[in-house]
Structures are given as structure tokens and as C-alpha cells.
Amino acid sequence: MEARQLAERLAKRSDLVVTLSLAGRTTAPALQPVPVRVGGFGGAQGLADYLLDQKIDVLIDATHPYAATISTNAAAAAPQARVALLALRRPGWTPIMGDRWIEVGDVAGAVQALGNTSRHVFLALGRKEIEPFADAPQHSYLVRSVEAVVPPLNVPHAVYITGRGPFAVADERALLEQHRIEVVVAKNSGGAATYGKIAAARALSLPVILLRRPLPPPHPPPQAGEGGEGAAVETVDDAVAWLDHASACAAARGV
Ligand SMILES: NC(=O)c1ccc[n+]([C@@H]2O[C@H](COP(=O)([O-])OP(=O)(O)OC[C@H]3O[C@@H](n4cnc5c(N)ncnc54)[C@H](OP(=O)(O)O)[C@@H]3O)[C@@H](O)[C@H]2O)c1
């Protein structure tokens, strides 16, 4: 989400050449305002090679908060390629009055937290993450994913819908009511686009089983003289400001 918003802001700039990298998880990705490359780099070394080969000056890690591997690879590859690194990480949600959150470490923990008694469950997870719920066939699942779930989950009661945010609170509430949902399972993605289900669950006093965020990788130290002003910011505005500052420093050094 932020990656696209940042790309929109940077696409208008004549002083920058921007490439957006996608993992290639979706068969019909949203149109992007800048040139896109798709697919893995081949680990941290592959990413470092790409940065050097393409003569990249700045790497912005604006990936999803749960995409921990590519963030770790970025933190390793940037210093290796002597490229400045900025991490754009939107903050996670925090509970407010009325929220009934059960935080778990991973998907297996979420399956456990559902318990043995049959429940109507809303799974708002990636289609590649839901497989472990086949171990709990006693529940009835409503599964929402960006892409269709193929093959379907091996359980007797499951309904599948596809959708890409943003999702409005009123629509999320109607969905939960229509499917008589008793518990929501989700990631703590942060941001407004997918918060609707959290607010709707609160309004209906439903529990939410939230997968805890993976820890971000330690940031590489700044690299003197190389524009390696490594940093982490939380908003697109701050990312643009950081980039402006890094560009000004590079210009002052005659780079
Ligand atoms: N990645 C995303 O864009 C994305 C978007 C939404 C949600 N998520 C969530 O994040 C979790 C893990 O997802 P994941 O497997 O995609 O991420 P991941 O575990 O961080 O990445 C796995 C591998 O995918 C490749 N990759 C990931 N992001 C890439 C990018 N922007 N450009 C090029 N290659 C990329 C890398 O392959 P190489 O090692 O070969 O370079 C990376 O090692 C899931 O919960 C998923 O739902 C991810």
C-alpha cells in the first residue's frame, strides 16, 4: 500500500529514476505508476548484485510488515552494495477500549486459539497461509483473499471470497453479520485500508485472533561518505523528506 503511494509521489519527479519491485504473488497486480520488475532476486546476494548491476543509489524497503525475509535481505544487501537504505514501516494497530484481541505468534497458534468447539471463523489471511486450518475442520470458515484459493482448504465448511482493500467498516460489519462470524483471524497489518474488520469486530464484540508481527531486521549502520543514511520512517511523507535530504547530501558531495 505505502509502496504504491510512494511510487505515485516519486513518479512525478524528474530527478529520480524509480523502479518498483514486486514479489509476484498475484497474477493480476494493481497497475503501478512507475516501471515494475517482478520476482525474487535470489536471496540477499542476488539483491546486492541487482543493486550494483542497476547502479541503484537508494533502496527503500516499503514491503508488507509480514514480509520479513525480503526486509532481512534488504538490510544485508544494502551495505554490501554500499547503497543507502530506508525502511518504510507503517506502525501496527494497538488495541482500544472494546477490542477483544488474542495475540498469537503464528498461524499454528491461531488454529489452536480457535479451540475445539465449532465456530464461524473469518480468515482474513493470505491464501498461502491458511493451509494449517485444515487441521481444525470442526469450524466453518469464511476465507477472504486477494486471489482465489486453489485448491480449496480441505475442510467440510468453507466459503471463499476475493477482495482487495480498502474495506469500509460498514461493509465489514455487514459481512461479519451475514456469515454469522464468531471470531476473526487476521494479521496486524496496520494502516487504514484493512482496519475495517477490526473496527467491525469491536462493534460486534467479537474476538480477533491477531498474528503478531515479525520483528524487523536490525538496521545496517550508516556508511560514511557513501550516502548510507540508513533510517526507518513510518509514513510516505517522511520517506519523501528522507529522500530529499539524502539527495541534497549527495549533491553537496558532488555525487
Ligand atoms: N511480499 C509482498 O509483497 C507481500 C504483500 C502483502 C502481504 N505479504 C505478506 O507477507 C508474508 C510473507 O510474504 P512473502 O513470502 O511474499 O515475503 P517474504 O517472506 O519476505 O519473501 C519471500 C521471498 O519472496 C521474494 N520477495 C518478497 N518480496 C519481494 C519484492 N518486493 N521484490 C522481489 N522479491 C520479493 C524474495 O525472494 P528472493 O529471496 O529470491 O529475492 C523473498 O526472499 C505473508 O504473510 C504475506 O501475506 C507480502
Side-chain angles (χ1 to χ4, degrees):
M1 184 67 70
E2 279 76 7
R4 184 187 160 74
Q5 290 168 355
L6 182 59
E8 260 162 25
R9 295 275 293 273
L10 301 183
K12 299 168 192 148
R13 306 257 304 238
S14 58
D15 58 328
L16 300 171
V17 179
V18 181
T19 303
L20 180 65
S21 178
L22 298 177
R25 302 279 178 257
T26 48
T27 48
L31 278 179
Q32 299 292 344
V34 297
V36 170
R37 66 157 301 287
V38 181
F41 296 94
Q45 184 60 54
L47 177 54
D49 292 345
Y50 173 87
L51 296 172
L52 288 168
D53 186 54
Q54 298 295 312
K55 299 186 171 39
I56 303 291
D57 296 308
V58 174
L59 174 61
I60 301 181
D61 169 16
T63 195
H64 190 272
Y66 286 73
T69 308
I70 193 70
S71 292
T72 301
N73 290 352
Q80 192 181 330
R82 303 187 78 76
V83 162
L85 174 65
L86 176 69
L88 170 52
R89 306 196 196 291
R90 63 174 177 251
W93 303 312
T94 48
I96 63 170
M97 179 107 68
D99 277 325
R100 295 174 57 199
W101 291 6
I102 301 154
E103 293 194 79
V104 295
D106 53 20
V107 177
V111 174
Q112 278 235 306
L114 286 176
N116 295 328
T117 309
S118 170
R119 302 165 94 182
H120 287 87
V121 183
F122 178 32
L123 291 186
L125 297 176
R127 71 190 157 122
K128 294 183 189 254
E129 294 160 317
I130 62 169
E131 173 70 31
F133 292 93
D135 292 341
Q138 69 274 28
H139 305 299
S140 298
Y141 295 100
L142 170 67
V143 181
R144 181 172 67 199
S145 51
V146 174
E147 300 253 313
V149 178
V150 182
L153 206 51
N154 188 17
V155 295
H157 304 291
V159 172
Y160 301 91
I161 55 175
T162 54
R164 198 194 292 264
F167 301 104
V169 183
D171 295 341
E172 296 292 70
R173 182 176 174 148
L175 185 73
L176 298 181
E177 288 180 322
Q178 181 195 342
H179 291 271
R180 295 183 290 123
I181 295 300
E182 296 168 286
V183 56
V184 174
V185 183
K187 286 183 280 212
N188 187 345
S189 296
T194 59
Y195 188 69
K197 59 181 175 279
I198 305 293
R202 181 169 58 240
L204 295 169
S205 200
L206 299 181
V208 178
I209 298 173
L210 267 190
L211 269 54
R212 237 174 256 120
R213 282 183 168 210
L215 285 177
H219 215 71
Q223 299 158 51
E226 288 292 334
E229 303 89 336
V233 295
E234 294 187 345
T235 67
V236 170
D237 279 348
D238 285 347
V240 173
W242 179 91
L243 202 49
D244 287 340
H245 178 72
S247 300
C249 290
R253 288 196 306 269
V255 180

